[in-house]
Amino acid sequence: MKGFCLEVWGDYACFTRPEMKVERVSYDVITPSAARAIFEAILWKPAIRWQVDKIEILKPIKWTNVRRNEVGKVASPRNKESIFIEDERQQRAALILKDVAYRLHAHFEMTDKKGSEDTEAKFAAMFERRAENGQCFHRPYFGTREFAVDFKLVQPDQSQPKAISEDRDLGWMVYDIRHDNSKDESHVHSCTDKCSPRIYRPVMKQGIILVPDWKSEEVRG
Amino acid sequence: MSSVANRYDFVLLFDVKDGNPNGDPDAGNMPRVDAETGMGLVTDVCLKRKVRNFVQMIKEGKKPFDIFIKEKAILNNLIDQAHEQEKVKIKEKGSEKTEEARKWMCENFFDIRTFGAVMSTGKNAGQVRGPVQLTFGRSIERVVTSEHSITRMAVATVAESEKQSGDNRTMGRKFTIPYGLYLSHGFISAPLAKQTGFSEEDLKLLWDALKTMFDHDRSAARGLMGTRKLIVFKHGSEFGNAPAQNLFDLVKVERATDPAKPAREFTDYKVTLEKAKVPQGVELLEML
């Protein structure tokens, strides 16, 4: 299985902890789900599924805080009363990461949606070409769209800066959401009760997190 | 009209003089500052609000350029409106109906086509990811916040007046930045434009908004704000022809005057653009 490596960096990141979503608090590091989405922003087809293998943390984990005006929308079909933005304004703080850089290692697997023309070599070449030229389907981001990601493809033989020399037990983290896409033929997905989170307990050793396969025992849900 | 077929990356430079470009609710409405570096910040949502207000003003809220997240808007009435459309009504409940409602919202609201929206309020109208993505604006140099005390020759309540035995004066505070030049990055994804129907006409409107939105956002708090440069990189293809960071590196903003002295004018800065280094397949458009 051919692996790919991307170096990604940005000024800020917010990988929101699901238990702290109102006033958002980020995880210490990127989740496999957010890392997968970065690869998908460059190339994704129904025929492939990205699996993140390893995350290298290249910069010390630093935090900052930002409070913004947001819209609180509380609505039910029965409640026809007006919602005025000014009245529904909520000021929410977010505890986010600052000055972030990772090296992400991943590979893809073919799914049962692959057509007769689809080969691994074809998608591998497509991904490499796009990543090499800075092309993307949409601009990848660190958790939320205002925190845009710069990326570059790393070739296996290139010498690389080392990951940070820090060990940390990161606790239980979201691994990914298992989405129920059965009703979303056009890929416009709104999560339903059938979508469920998967969690895992990563340990960062010398700045490196080894990400288990999504089917492995370490990933629970 | 056909949707935008090229990827764009852009650099927006705007400045403020004796004003507060974006107050921080956590700091008593003082201008947002990166506490570690002293650089000023303006959030992405602050800029998007101005784009929305500009389009609402220019197009007078007329469809297909209506604005969904209006000031004084009624979100659920608009979602209900989508569900009252004939072609939405005839659909069965479930994802197909949601999809029709989503389409109707995209067709009618400029900000949904542009920035996207979560429309799972009330009657579900699905979720839309817009093609246009903005980052925080960040000042080129450190900004200094000045606090000014101001007085008002009136009071709000009778009780206050009585306490002052008719003197009737109150004091307030106001924060300004003497001068700050801010830079924000933006991205437009052609494949997402296709999904929401973000058209060439919408794109033109977006450029107009970015160029002149501050001219229509005058207020006591803002001081003198204006867009100084809008530098757009148009890629020859939908996925793009060069990494965004390489293009952004071609735009350099430096001090034209002695960096030891504080900047107070746009002319204290020099913006250079390495036109010769623009890679093949990328067209440079200096919008402003």
Side-chain angles (χ1 to χ4, degrees), chain B residues 56-255:
Chain B
Q56 193 181 340
M57 182 198 70
I58 290 290
K59 296 290 183 182
E60 296 170 336
K62 288 204 185 91
K63 295 196 164 64
F65 296 102
D66 204 356
I67 294 294
F68 184 62
I69 312 280
K70 272 182 194 161
E71 294 189 357
K72 291 275 175 230
I74 305 166
L75 294 180
N76 271 18
N77 287 5
L78 300 174
I79 292 173
D80 287 353
Q81 222 177 319
H83 277 272
E84 276 153 25
Q85 300 303 306
E86 276 310 309
K87 57 180 177 186
V88 180
K89 261 190 191 167
I90 54 168
K91 294 281 184 215
E92 293 285 306
K93 275 215 168 66
S95 62
E96 214 184 328
K97 196 180 184 74
T98 304
E99 175 54 22
E100 270 308 322
R102 191 190 74 88
K103 240 161 78 187
W104 189 86
M105 298 295 273
C106 280
E107 278 163 18
N108 288 287
F109 295 100
F110 174 83
D111 56 339
I112 293 180
R113 281 199 300 281
T114 307
F115 302 128
V118 180
M119 298 185 289
S120 30
T121 62
K123 292 171 184 166
N124 197 343
Q127 217 167 357
V128 178
R129 199 161 39 151
V132 179
Q133 195 174 335
L134 286 168
T135 64
F136 278 21
R138 178 175 271 278
S139 68
I140 304 298
E141 287 186 292
R142 285 159 169 267
V143 293
V144 176
T145 304
S146 325
E147 183 182 347
H148 311 276
S149 289
I150 49 177
T151 56
R152 180 172 69 167
M153 298 307 172
V155 287
T157 61
V158 177
E160 260 184 286
S161 172
E162 279 165 1
K163 222 184 267 171
Q164 297 191 15
S165 21
D167 204 19
N168 292 8
R169 274 198 242 189
T170 43
M171 293 196 75
R173 291 188 312 165
K174 154 170 195 160
F175 299 98
T176 66
I177 286 174
Y179 185 80
L181 180 62
Y182 290 75
L183 189 150
S184 175
H185 290 137
F187 310 93
I188 302 175
S189 153
L192 291 183
K194 204 187 285 170
Q195 288 180 9
T196 69
F198 180 76
S199 68
E200 291 289 339
E201 191 183 357
D202 293 329
L203 181 66
K204 199 179 162 296
L205 190 57
L206 177 75
W207 297 141
D208 286 345
L210 292 173
K211 281 191 279 188
T212 56
M213 59 191 184
F214 297 110
D215 296 333
H216 304 283
D217 186 57
R218 302 287 178 215
S219 80
R222 300 276 173 254
L224 197 55
M225 289 187 75
T227 301
R228 290 299 187 162
K229 290 268 179 219
L230 177 58
I231 298 161
V232 178
F233 297 98
K234 179 182 181 181
H235 295 259
S237 62
E238 62 171 339
F239 295 119
N241 298 55
Q245 65 268 23
N246 296 6
L247 301 176
F248 293 150
D249 286 346
L250 301 179
V251 182
K252 289 210 169 61
V253 188
E254 293 158 311
R255 276 297 291 274

